[in-house]
Amino acid sequence: VMSYRLLSVVGRQRASPGWQNWSSARNSASAAEAHSMALPTQAQVVICGGGIMGTSVAYHLSKMGWKDIVLLEQGRLAAGSTRFCAGILSTARHLTIEQKMADYSNKLYHQLEQETGIQTGYTRTGSIFLAQTQDRLISLKRINARLNVIGIPSEIISPKKVAELHHLLNVHDLVGAMHVPEDAVVSSADVALALASAASQNGVQIYDRTSVLHVMVKKGQVTGVETDKGQIECQYFVNCAGQWAYELGLSNEEPVSIPLHACEHFYLLTRPLETPLQNSTPTIVDADGRIYIRNWQGGILSGGFEKNPKPIFTEGKNQLEIQNLQEDWDHFEPLLSSLLRRMPELETLEIMKLVNCPETFTPDMRCIMGESPAVQGYFVLAGMNSAGLSFGGGAGKYLAEWMVHGYPSENVWELDLKRFGALQSSRTFLRHRVMEVMPLMYDLKVPRWDFQTGRQLRTSPLYDRLDAQGARWMEKHGFERPKYFVPPDKDLLALEQSKTFYKPDWFDIVESEVKCCKEAVCVIDMSSFTKFEITSTGDQALEVLQYLFSNDLDVPVGHIVHTGMLNEGGGYENDCSIARLNKRSFFMISPTDQQVHCWAWLKKHMPEDSNLLLEDVTWKYTGTGASDVSSTFAFFTFDPQKFPQASRLNKQCDVGYANGIRVMSMTHTGEPGFMLYIPIEYALHVYNEVMSVGQKYGIRNAGYYALRSLRIEKFFAFWGQDINNLTTPLECGRESRVKLEKGMDFIGRDALLLQKQNGVYKRLTMFILDDHDTDLDLWPWWGEPIYRNGQYVGKTTSSAYSYSLERHVCLGFVHSFSEDTGEEQVVTADFINRGEYEIDIAGHRFQARAKLYPVASLFTQKRRKDDMELSDLHGK
């Protein structure tokens, strides 16, 4: 039966010429068993997992010149999730890095058959993404704009055009669609076998029916693996174990947290139609109907992502190879009904089988790759969220680059294992979260939506107090943070359910918070920010930090330095503020999601034998930001003259009955104000004191949406949003925060000196939208293409409405490309200033003015207390 090819594709392994080339011993089970016993005793790299991820990593490592590689598979190659994959390769993704991975995979699979001689079934069919609502069409238009600028052909088409491309579709309820003509279908198991064949021919040794029991670790470094056939010493281990990556990570001598969980995933196979579908029939994604449809041997393969998914393997590993799970037609019925609505002619078609197979999902719907923060040399590539085929080639390439060069060629922070902490690895958390994640695969995702499961995990001591005052919450790295505060007269239910690409319902609320920040006093709970203390017995702390950070930290005690933690290429591994507490102690404040990454980076680069103590004190201090310099002085028992307005200082003071409050003359918005770092046991008392004293100044709470508006209009770039490990200080206007001229060595210095000599190839730029109607037009959010004189030059990194400028403001990088060769060229300030710019929002271009500095002269609102004397306020 032809349809059995999907369910038992590995049976053809021995018939493939490439398969025979790399191991003639595979001709019999006994020979395979004998081969599996002869494990090498050492290797440079051991890869666990013989699916598309493991074979892709092996393929790319061998292409990059690494030959001493062993790949281990507990069952047979391609017999896990890869075996059951529906075989759809789609490049239409929300994240640019995912689009690039899928595009690379598409090109790789296209030429793989010619390279290896193994047929992969690659057929370029194209994909059609249907829209039943205007909001879905807007979402597709945003994706379409991003695809076009990275060279992936796509277009928005009418329902009539959809019917022409696929004559069996019912299109009466559609408002439009997106056509991606170069998407493809392919046999994922055959792709894995072809990658394995090519890797083997490049020297990779492959052993099936060999289980990895645990990874051996010594002094935080991989030293080898223990298998059921013996030990292998190695320098690098790659966990590509798919469903079992979580359990394998926890089995180590030093556990590695890999947060993923499996759910059942259903699709059906039919007999061929009376007039069999052509091989080139486009794949259909009807996200509003929660289904996908592709041609399968002249019939149909159709599955989807139901609203009520079924988590499995909740108690851990229970089988070597993934078998087809039980059919559940009652569970599949809503998807089947959706299929028949979309293709009514299928009602009389005979269904051959309902396939039920496990698929892994992660807490944020993005795959997991990178090096473990706990164990050097331990790499992970897993958790593909049903996109393993689309991402396999590109993800394997990036991970191989990471291992060989120390970093991938693209910014992959959104996929980095270190974006998670151990708190996301609770089995209960994962089980509940994946039940939310799986339906979200096809749910409409408007800007700034929030997960609902796994919440209230990490909270500030102020949480209950703020919640009672109308705080609406968002989550970052498991930490609850206030978005904004709903006034008592607002319809709370309507506000919570409001989801739009246009002007949001919270617009007026955030406006009042921003206005209060500028004219009176606002308090923002910023407890989630990462906080480290670095101390030493002698001068080691200063010596080591001077090498690890780009700005000069040899400042007087009590001063604060804004600095970067750079890599060898001069890119930001972290953007932070460091206060010198005393001659041998420093207090470091970093973004919330830097907690794991920054810790791992510091530990990796600090001398092992130094008398340094690195302590994570995030949980010890509640952080609150207070706007308005003058009013804030009235809260504290010290002389305001100790805080000159131009200085960035750190002092200790008393508030109410509490002492030891660290007050820092800095904010994360660019506005004047202070940060208070309060010992956690005093947090509620200090908050109550500040709010009580502040009543006379019109004090109120504010949230992160107000903070975002304030910092973007002040051209205040954030790490992880605007700058990353491929962004240097010279590219984002922060030359003054680098000690290049002081003759001191630091990581990244050589790269910055070279860049200063040769010029930069991109510049962070501020854009003000002039012809944009805030009430009627679609809003910019992030990722919108930027055009200069009609030519694409970059994308926005973040956007917000500026209530002071009464305009939308976007931040983004401008590149310059040669018209002849397409190569990047040096970007000068003159190049930025001479251009005429447009921002593409869902296919509509809006004129924008480019600025390299904050537009202070355009601010219209006056600070209410500009003319008031600090001494008068202090005396009140």
Side-chain angles (χ1 to χ4, degrees):
V1 180
M2 290 300 291
S3 65
Y4 197 67
R5 178 171 176 269
L6 177 74
L7 306 176
S8 189
V9 69
V10 183
R12 279 215 317 272
Q13 292 174 357
R14 299 178 181 85
S16 300
W19 186 258
Q20 295 288 344
N21 288 343
W22 80 261
S23 180
S24 60
R26 290 287 192 258
N27 286 331
S28 69
S30 60
E33 186 71 21
H35 183 75
S36 297
M37 293 295 292
L39 288 181
T41 58
Q42 61 182 33
Q44 183 183 14
V45 182
V46 173
I47 301 171
C48 176
I52 199 162
M53 292 301 151
T55 55
S56 178
V57 173
Y59 171 87
H60 287 95
L61 283 174
S62 66
K63 286 281 187 179
M64 294 178 190
W66 284 21
K67 307 297 183 185
D68 189 11
I69 301 169
V70 173
L71 187 150
L72 305 177
E73 164 56 46
Q74 64 178 353
R76 296 168 294 166
L77 282 187
S81 298
T82 300
R83 172 188 178 194
F84 287 96
C85 177
I88 298 170
L89 196 160
S90 170
T91 53
R93 306 285 166 178
H94 286 279
L95 298 181
T96 298
I97 186 62
E98 292 181 342
Q99 292 174 350
K100 290 181 177 180
M101 287 196 302
D103 187 42
Y104 174 84
S105 297
N106 198 356
K107 293 179 171 64
L108 173 66
Y109 303 161
H110 182 58
Q111 58 86 36
L112 204 54
E113 187 172 323
Q114 181 179 353
E115 179 184 347
T116 64
I118 296 177
Q119 295 183 359
T120 61
Y122 181 93
T123 306
R124 185 160 284 174
T125 61
S127 297
I128 303 174
F129 296 80
L130 309 181
Q132 296 182 30
T133 67
Q134 287 296 334
D135 274 349
R136 178 71 67 179
L137 188 60
I138 290 168
S139 178
L140 293 177
K141 287 178 177 179
R142 288 174 62 85
I143 295 172
N144 180 70
R146 296 175 194 168
L147 289 175
N148 287 335
V149 296
I150 64 171
I152 299 176
S154 66
E155 62 175 338
I156 300 298
I157 59 175
S158 66
K160 181 180 178 181
K161 181 66 174 178
V162 172
E164 293 173 3
L165 292 170
H166 200 304
H167 66 279
L168 293 179
L169 291 185
N170 174 10
V171 300
H172 78 279
D173 59 343
L174 302 182
V175 297
M178 180 176 70
H179 183 216
V180 188
E182 294 187 0
D183 280 357
V185 296
V186 65
S187 165
S188 55
D190 286 333
V191 167
L193 300 182
L195 292 169
S197 172
S200 179
Q201 290 170 8
N202 281 331
V204 176
Q205 301 178 69
I206 301 176
Y207 299 84
D208 63 6
R209 303 186 188 281
T210 305
S211 295
V212 174
L213 304 179
H214 67 271
V215 178
M216 297 181 290
V217 178
K218 186 176 181 180
K219 293 183 178 180
Q221 173 72 48
V222 168
T223 60
V225 296
E226 180 82 37
T227 78
D228 59 352
K229 306 288 175 59
Q231 291 186 0
I232 306 176
E233 294 181 3
C234 63
Q235 299 169 256
Y236 299 93
F237 175 75
V238 188
N239 184 339
C240 297
Q243 314 284 339
W244 321 129
Y246 177 94
E247 284 77 18
L248 181 58
L250 296 183
S251 71
N252 307 331
E253 296 173 0
E254 190 164 337
V256 172
S257 173
I258 306 168
L260 50 79
H261 201 293
C263 285
E264 295 183 26
H265 179 58
F266 297 86
Y267 60 81
L268 61 78
L269 301 168
T270 75
R271 299 282 183 189
L273 277 70
E274 185 174 338
T275 303
L277 290 177
Q278 298 180 354
N279 289 341
S280 59
T281 302
T283 294
I284 302 299
V285 176
D286 184 2
D288 294 313
R290 314 197 73 83
I291 58 171
Y292 57 81
I293 310 164
R294 61 156 288 193
N295 166 57
W296 176 256
Q297 299 293 322
I300 290 294
L301 182 157
S302 179
F305 299 98
E306 63 274 22
K307 291 184 178 181
N308 56 333
K310 299 167 66 177
I312 50 174
F313 307 151
T314 56
E315 299 306 319
K317 181 173 178 178
N318 62 4
Q319 58 188 43
L320 284 181
E321 293 181 8
I322 295 171
Q323 308 299 324
N324 189 29
L325 304 171
Q326 293 297 314
E327 293 185 350
D328 189 341
W329 282 103
D330 289 339
H331 190 78
F332 189 74
E333 192 279 332
L335 300 183
L336 178 60
S337 297
S338 186
L339 171 64
L340 294 177
R341 283 194 299 272
R342 187 57 57 207
M343 298 180 70
E345 293 184 30
L346 298 186
E347 285 190 357
T348 59
L349 193 62
E350 181 182 355
I351 296 174
M352 293 179 62
K353 190 173 185 64
L354 178 64
V355 178
N356 177 4
C357 57
E359 182 62 65
T360 46
F361 296 88
T362 64
D364 60 1
M365 293 189 294
R366 304 198 294 265
C367 74
I368 297 173
M369 68 163 62
E371 188 175 16
S372 161
V375 181
Q376 290 189 38
Y378 192 116
F379 285 81
V380 178
L381 185 56
M384 292 295 131
N385 300 283
S386 200
L389 177 66
S390 295
F391 296 159
K397 171 177 176 281
Y398 290 146
L399 193 77
E401 291 174 344
W402 205 328
M403 296 173 68
V404 173
H405 304 303
Y407 49 87
S409 55
E410 295 283 348
N411 171 41
V412 297
W413 168 247
E414 293 168 306
L415 315 177
D416 195 328
L417 171 62
K418 291 185 285 294
R419 72 186 187 271
F420 295 119
L423 57 94
Q424 282 99 353
S425 286
S426 153
R427 277 196 186 279
T428 303
F429 168 83
L430 289 171
R431 183 167 64 252
H432 291 176
R433 176 56 66 86
V434 297
M435 291 178 69
E436 179 183 11
V437 160
M438 190 170 170
L440 278 170
M441 300 299 295
Y442 276 177
D443 280 352
L444 181 66
K445 289 178 279 294
V446 299
R448 302 194 189 177
W449 57 273
D450 301 295
F451 288 108
Q452 300 303 308
T453 54
R455 297 294 297 271
Q456 298 182 27
L457 191 57
R458 303 173 74 194
T459 60
S460 153
L462 308 180
Y463 179 86
D464 288 340
R465 185 62 53 87
L466 299 180
D467 194 60
Q469 295 179 73
R472 296 303 101 196
W473 300 94
M474 59 193 286
E475 175 258 337
K476 185 82 165 181
H477 202 61
F479 222 119
E480 296 293 329
R481 314 201 301 184
K483 296 187 287 190
Y484 48 80
F485 288 78
V486 180
D489 58 337
K490 283 283 185 180
D491 184 344
L492 181 60
L493 184 62
L495 195 66
E496 286 292 280
Q497 295 176 344
S498 172
K499 296 179 179 179
T500 180
F501 289 99
Y502 291 89
K503 180 181 177 180
D505 286 351
W506 43 256
F507 181 87
D508 294 338
I509 296 174
V510 175
E511 179 180 26
S512 64
E513 293 181 6
V514 168
K515 185 176 181 180
C516 186
C517 286
K518 290 177 172 296
E519 297 183 357
V521 189
C522 266
V523 174
I524 304 177
D525 182 0
M526 301 186 192
S527 302
S528 66
F529 276 53
T530 298
K531 298 172 278 289
F532 294 162
E533 283 188 9
I534 305 106
T535 58
S536 63
T537 55
D539 296 331
Q540 301 96 326
L542 178 61
E543 293 171 2
V544 171
L545 295 183
Q546 285 286 56
Y547 179 67
L548 294 183
F549 292 88
S550 58
N551 208 345
D552 188 3
L553 300 181
D554 191 6
V555 294
V557 171
H559 281 242
I560 305 168
V561 178
H562 193 168
T563 183
M565 188 169 71
L566 309 183
N567 52 40
E568 294 290 349
Y572 280 99
E573 292 294 334
N574 184 17
D575 178 44
C576 58
S577 296
I578 296 182
R580 191 168 193 179
L581 304 181
N582 57 54
K583 289 190 174 182
R584 299 173 180 176
S585 183
F586 295 83
F587 186 74
M588 176 179 173
I589 305 130
S590 304
T592 302
D593 51 5
Q594 272 276 6
Q595 190 166 13
V596 176
H597 172 70
C598 183
W599 178 273
W601 180 269
L602 288 171
K603 280 291 188 182
K604 185 175 182 178
H605 290 84
M606 281 181 170
E608 292 184 14
D609 58 350
S610 67
N611 293 317
L612 280 177
L613 174 63
L614 173 64
E615 183 182 6
D616 186 344
V617 295
T618 301
W619 64 274
K620 285 188 175 182
Y621 292 94
T622 294
T624 60
S627 69
D628 192 278
V629 177
S630 50
S631 299
T632 310
F633 281 131
F635 302 153
F636 311 126
T637 56
F638 55 67
D639 184 353
Q641 300 305 321
K642 291 182 179 179
F643 278 90
Q645 285 188 302
S647 300
R648 292 167 58 83
L649 299 176
N650 160 59
K651 300 285 184 182
Q652 285 203 0
C653 73
D654 300 342
V655 178
Y657 301 137
N659 58 14
I661 313 302
R662 290 179 180 171
V663 182
M664 302 188 184
S665 56
M666 53 169 276
T667 66
H668 300 287
T669 65
E671 288 287 323
F674 286 84
M675 287 296 303
L676 281 65
Y677 289 97
I678 310 161
I680 200 163
E681 64 269 29
Y682 299 150
L684 199 54
H685 172 75
V686 171
Y687 173 79
N688 290 338
E689 286 291 309
V690 169
M691 296 302 287
S692 175
V693 175
Q695 287 182 7
K696 67 183 73 172
Y697 306 109
I699 196 169
R700 64 171 292 171
N701 295 298
Y704 275 76
Y705 284 9
L707 184 151
R708 183 185 180 91
S709 174
L710 290 166
R711 70 98 177 167
I712 288 178
E713 73 178 16
K714 286 296 182 70
F715 207 163
F716 203 90
F718 268 21
W719 189 93
Q721 297 178 42
D722 308 298
I723 57 179
N724 54 51
N725 65 340
L726 297 180
T727 309
T728 73
L730 276 64
E731 294 166 345
C732 57
R734 296 186 174 182
E735 298 93 326
S736 61
R737 297 175 184 173
V738 180
K739 54 195 175 196
L740 278 179
E741 308 304 327
K742 295 196 175 184
M744 289 181 281
D745 192 22
F746 58 90
I747 298 176
R749 181 174 186 266
D750 292 343
L752 295 186
L753 286 172
L754 187 63
Q755 190 177 58
K756 187 174 183 180
Q757 177 181 329
N758 296 335
V760 298
Y761 288 85
K762 62 182 178 183
R763 278 182 184 264
L764 185 64
T765 307
M766 178 180 184
F767 297 95
I768 303 168
L769 300 189
D770 281 333
D771 64 342
H772 182 273
D773 190 317
T774 303
D775 295 319
L776 301 177
D777 291 328
L778 287 168
W779 274 30
W781 296 98
W782 58 270
E784 290 84 13
I786 303 167
Y787 290 85
R788 178 187 181 274
N789 298 344
Q791 300 297 313
Y792 169 71
V793 291
K795 290 194 198 69
T796 62
T797 54
S798 58
S799 303
Y801 183 80
S802 167
Y803 296 93
S804 299
L805 301 177
E806 298 182 349
R807 301 279 192 281
H808 257 97
V809 176
C810 306
L811 306 185
F813 282 94
V814 172
H815 303 247
S816 175
F817 302 99
S818 168
E819 295 183 6
D820 298 327
T821 64
E823 294 182 355
E824 286 198 274
Q825 301 179 134
V826 171
V827 177
T828 63
D830 186 55
F831 177 85
I832 299 289
N833 294 328
R834 283 189 294 106
E836 294 186 0
Y837 293 89
E838 296 171 305
I839 306 294
D840 184 324
I841 306 176
H844 185 90
R845 298 187 188 182
F846 295 89
Q847 293 180 358
R849 282 177 291 149
K851 302 290 179 182
L852 287 171
Y853 303 97
V855 197
S857 61
L858 295 180
F859 283 68
T860 57
Q861 295 189 6
K862 295 285 291 177
R863 296 174 56 81
R864 197 181 68 193
K865 301 185 180 67
D866 273 353
D867 300 325
M868 300 181 73
E869 293 292 333
L870 294 183
S871 56
D872 290 343
L873 276 172
H874 183 55
K876 286 187 177 182

